[in-house]
Amino acid sequence: MSETPAVSRRLLLGGAVAGGALAAGMAASSAPAAAAATGQTPRRRPGQKPMIGVPFEAHETVRVGVIGLGNRGAGMITGWAAVPGCTVTAVCDIRADRARRAADRLVSKGEPRPAEYGGSADSYARMLRRDDIDLVYVATPWEFHYEHGRAALHSGRHAVVELPVATELRQLWDLVDTSERTRRHLLLAENCSYGRNELAMLRMAHAGLFGDITHGHGGYLHDLRELLFSDTYYTDSWRRLWHTRSTASLYPMHGLAPIAATMDINRGDRMTTLRATATAPRGLADYRERFVPRDHPSWTETYINGDLVTCLIETERGRVIRAEHDVSSPRPYSRINTVAGSRGIVEDYVGPAPTGARVYLEPDHGGHTWRDFADYRKEFDHWLWRKVGDDAANNGGHGGMDYVLQWRTVQLMRAGLVPDIDVYDSAAWCAAVPLSAASLARQGRPVEIPDFTRGAWAGRRPGLDSEPTDMPPAG
């Protein structure tokens, strides 16, 4: 690339970040934050050390505090409680009735009643003063993830944060620095990285079945129009409102993260530049015209985000990743999941085979004919699915990958192991949100992707393709 301009603060999310996140970002203002806002790599403060390869301290029991009990948070609490050696000790939501219902639900499952916090915007801060929380799970609206994740680290807890961990570059850098200073891990709750097909594809890539990997595609293509206009599903319509204030790829991580893992991003390669394109914003307005009553509050809104936002990402080793985001168009669900190289290709979400995927690999295949993925998935099935798969669908959503994420996180903490996903992975994957906004503001020109590892990306190290280990026996 001949032109990779730095990203100015005013371009991030089109200068239209929600008030809560903006206030939190201002609280973190400093010389390092100012450097990050201009696209520079901020220096580490004296005594600040990387978190790469740092294991969790071993816990006999992992005690979880939950912030945010809307659809996602409320749906995950029973999964946390179901993991051996894990208990939910506190729940928090700005709406106190949600905390009460979450506590009631845990009790109905035979679990101890967690402490309840709610009723004000600072309820989470009161919860974080407790001494019986080891891990904070954040499932609030996007604009609060940075604030809540950062507070968890400062309270001395590890944090698992729903997508994205932050929406601005300086926030992402601050989470990296805060993790390094507090010596606490923050990781993206990227459940799709633990999907069964995704993990099998990762192991196939590491076994060399695709040859030299040249490119991959990943996406979050999910028709959310009905839910976006629901008066109850997204509290205060927070997710729909992002389409009125931002021109960006708002949620590309589900597709991007698994492809990045197959390319060993931050583990031998790194993403270097991103350019974005966007279609016209037609889907939400058209849906409103046809299905939403004229007295609905959404009729005061103007939708500016493109229906399909595509990010084209290049890596240091010359690979290309295409990451797509579309929640505004009528279409079946897809995360695309495509990995290709010099010896073959796998494509997911193509059906009708039970796995939903197809494969073509040399020298096994020929005649320009796709083959079923089933035999390869069986051979390269990740040990986590072999060990937890029977319980996964019974204890978590999205086909069981939610529970696999939760089980693995607790196991890592109880056994004192290094996390599969760290703050550097989380920041790199989520950087596509502000960087896509910056590229779109520059008519699709490429922008630089920061190296959140500060040069450590070239070293090989374990990640999601982990060695089999057992869950320590519950006391």
Side-chain angles (χ1 to χ4, degrees):
M1 293 297 171
S2 60
E3 184 181 16
T4 52
V7 183
S8 71
R9 172 69 180 84
R10 66 183 177 82
L11 289 179
L12 300 186
L13 292 192
V17 178
L22 180 58
M26 293 301 291
S29 181
S30 63
T38 60
Q40 303 174 26
T41 300
R43 294 182 179 179
R44 287 190 174 100
R45 294 178 182 177
Q48 182 177 323
K49 292 185 279 188
M51 288 294 285
I52 290 176
V54 176
F56 288 106
E57 65 278 19
H59 295 74
E60 182 176 350
T61 301
V62 175
R63 302 165 298 179
V64 177
V66 178
I67 305 175
L69 295 162
N71 291 289
R72 183 60 174 164
M76 290 284 278
I77 55 171
T78 55
W80 290 114
V83 179
C86 184
T87 183
V88 178
T89 55
V91 292
C92 175
D93 194 279
I94 193 171
R95 289 164 172 77
D97 60 316
R98 289 183 173 177
R100 184 178 64 254
R101 289 197 299 271
D104 290 343
R105 187 178 179 198
L106 288 171
V107 170
S108 73
K109 298 287 186 179
E111 302 293 336
R113 189 175 191 89
E116 302 167 31
Y117 292 84
S120 65
D122 65 350
S123 296
Y124 76 93
R126 290 188 285 112
M127 187 191 82
L128 292 177
R129 290 197 285 268
R130 298 181 64 87
D131 61 4
D132 60 352
I133 297 173
D134 306 304
L135 176 69
V136 176
Y137 169 62
V138 176
T140 49
W142 300 338
E143 50 261 43
F144 304 111
H145 288 183
Y146 164 70
E147 175 186 344
H148 294 155
R150 184 173 183 267
L153 296 178
H154 278 294
S155 75
R157 279 54 177 252
H158 303 289
V160 175
V161 183
E162 283 293 341
L163 293 64
V165 295
T167 60
E168 300 182 38
L169 278 184
R170 69 171 182 175
Q171 293 174 346
L172 293 169
W173 272 114
D174 188 57
L175 290 177
V176 169
D177 289 341
T178 302
S179 175
E180 293 184 344
R181 289 194 296 269
T182 61
R183 313 309 295 164
R184 290 295 179 264
H185 287 294
L186 180 142
L187 54 132
L188 182 70
E190 185 38 84
N191 55 345
C192 295
S193 290
Y194 288 94
R196 196 162 203 161
N197 281 5
E198 285 88 340
L199 286 175
M201 290 159 59
L202 170 62
R203 297 193 65 235
M204 290 170 65
H206 284 174
L209 268 70
F210 304 114
D212 292 328
I213 293 177
T214 56
H215 63 282
H217 307 160
Y220 185 70
L221 309 176
H222 191 182
D223 182 0
L224 292 179
R225 293 171 301 163
E226 182 178 0
L227 295 178
L228 289 172
F229 284 98
S230 168
D231 291 331
T232 57
Y233 195 82
Y234 294 113
T235 304
D236 298 328
S237 304
W238 68 263
R239 190 161 182 169
R240 187 180 74 241
L241 291 176
W242 276 90
H243 291 262
T244 71
R245 65 168 69 104
S246 304
T247 305
S249 182
L250 298 175
Y251 197 76
M253 292 73 67
H254 280 332
L256 172 59
I259 302 306
T262 67
M263 295 183 179
D264 292 317
I265 297 300
N266 289 341
R267 291 164 172 78
D269 198 359
R270 80 175 188 93
M271 300 184 292
T272 56
T273 60
L274 178 151
R275 65 178 72 192
T277 62
T279 66
R282 297 288 186 264
L284 294 185
D286 179 73
Y287 184 91
R288 180 179 60 185
E289 179 70 31
R290 291 183 291 149
F291 300 112
V292 179
R294 291 283 174 170
D295 59 353
H296 192 266
S298 65
W299 279 96
T300 65
E301 300 165 359
T302 300
Y303 306 113
I304 63 173
N305 201 38
D307 293 339
L308 175 66
V309 180
T310 301
C311 297
L312 199 64
I313 298 168
E314 297 190 60
T315 79
E316 187 72 29
R317 294 182 61 184
R319 296 157 168 164
V320 175
I321 303 172
R322 189 185 80 223
E324 297 183 354
H325 175 268
D326 185 352
V327 298
S328 306
S329 304
R331 57 162 303 131
Y333 180 90
S334 175
R335 295 198 301 274
I336 305 175
N337 291 344
T338 297
V339 178
S342 59
R343 296 186 181 177
I345 183 171
V346 61
E347 290 186 348
D348 203 355
Y349 289 91
V350 293
T355 64
R358 61 188 182 183
V359 65
Y360 186 88
L361 298 172
E362 294 177 342
D364 295 1
H365 305 147
H368 304 281
T369 302
W370 290 102
R371 307 300 171 91
D372 188 10
F373 183 59
D375 288 343
Y376 290 92
R377 192 175 83 170
K378 183 177 180 180
E379 180 181 355
F380 290 93
D381 205 16
H382 196 281
W383 69 267
L384 278 168
W385 278 94
R386 295 179 188 268
K387 183 182 288 286
V388 187
D390 290 342
D391 294 330
N394 296 324
N395 290 305
H398 298 101
M401 62 187 180
D402 289 351
Y403 183 71
V404 175
L405 163 69
Q406 293 172 307
W407 191 96
R408 177 60 169 165
T409 302
V410 172
Q411 185 218 18
L412 290 165
M413 292 185 66
R414 294 191 62 214
L417 301 175
V418 176
D420 299 336
I421 298 169
D422 58 28
V423 70
Y424 310 101
D425 303 318
S426 305
W429 300 339
C430 296
V433 179
L435 293 177
S436 62
S439 177
L440 288 169
R442 295 175 176 271
Q443 291 76 50
R445 284 151 51 194
V447 293
E448 293 182 3
I449 300 175
D451 173 18
F452 293 100
T453 72
R454 293 179 168 101
W457 61 268
R460 296 285 184 175
R461 57 191 176 94
L464 287 154
D465 190 4
S466 54
E467 292 295 324
T469 48
D470 292 324
M471 177 75 77

